[in-house]
Amino acid sequence: MGRTRTYSWEDPEIPARAARGMAGLDFLREVQAGRVARPPIGRTLDFELDEVEHGRAVFSLLPGEEHYNPIGSVHGGVFATLLDSAAGCAVQSTLPQGMAYTSLDLTVKFLRPISVDTGRVRAIGTVLNAGRRIALAQAELVDAQDRLLAHATSSCMLFPVPA
């Protein structure tokens, strides 16, 4: 017997349009409150934005079999997506209206395996340095006992929102 999973998402242009008209922290708080739709990747992997403040963002995920790789643990791409989201949104939370960011790089260190037995994990992103054109952020992936599962650093390019 196979397993199935069904999910839906909203038009991604709607939140993208909203992001262009707000400061980063305001936009992320609207997403967290459910007044702006979650991005499709959040629905696809089933992770949530739990906390956001200036220079910090926290996402969580309850690992499921749908996240597994062929060797029976959560795929590293799922780790990387959570870490990239936390680091990137930490940067976004510092941006004024009219500014945007994109990830330039992401360096991930995988420290422990994750399975359905791990329980809920949290990716905690913080800004380390914010310049005019480049921001440096880090993110830690931890379990319920705050054991470090993975760590990432990310450089993000900052730029004016295109007209």
Side-chain angles (χ1 to χ4, degrees):
M1 298 262 312
R3 293 166 168 90
T4 62
R5 180 172 174 254
T6 303
Y7 63 97
S8 61
W9 62 91
E10 304 297 325
D11 177 353
E13 180 53 31
I14 296 168
R17 202 173 315 123
R20 291 190 288 269
M22 295 184 205
L25 183 57
D26 295 336
F27 170 74
L28 292 169
R29 285 181 174 158
E30 291 294 299
V31 171
Q32 182 187 18
R35 292 185 289 269
V36 171
R38 289 169 47 197
I41 190 65
R43 299 261 187 207
T44 300
L45 293 179
D46 198 23
F47 65 87
E48 299 280 340
L49 175 60
D50 292 335
E51 301 172 36
V52 64
E53 58 190 67
H54 185 84
R56 185 174 184 272
V58 179
F59 286 86
S60 68
L61 167 91
L62 183 61
E65 288 180 339
E66 67 275 13
H67 300 123
Y68 273 25
N69 59 27
I71 60 172
S73 61
V74 173
H75 191 284
V78 175
F79 287 44
T81 301
L82 281 169
L83 293 164
D84 183 55
S85 297
C89 287
V91 169
Q92 186 175 10
S93 73
T94 68
L95 299 179
Q97 182 177 346
M99 290 296 289
Y101 82 96
T102 190
S103 299
L104 290 172
D105 61 31
L106 181 71
T107 302
V108 179
K109 302 296 183 198
F110 303 105
L111 303 173
R112 296 176 189 262
I114 297 176
S115 72
V116 295
D117 297 328
T118 303
R120 186 163 295 281
V121 297
R122 294 179 303 128
I124 304 160
T126 55
V127 174
L128 299 174
N129 186 66
R132 289 181 324 159
R133 293 200 171 122
I134 303 290
L136 176 65
Q138 71 171 357
E140 295 179 334
L141 189 65
V142 298
D143 65 12
Q145 291 76 42
D146 285 328
R147 286 182 298 196
L148 188 62
L149 306 170
H151 180 268
T153 56
S154 177
S155 300
C156 296
M157 180 174 59
L158 312 179
F159 56 92
V161 174

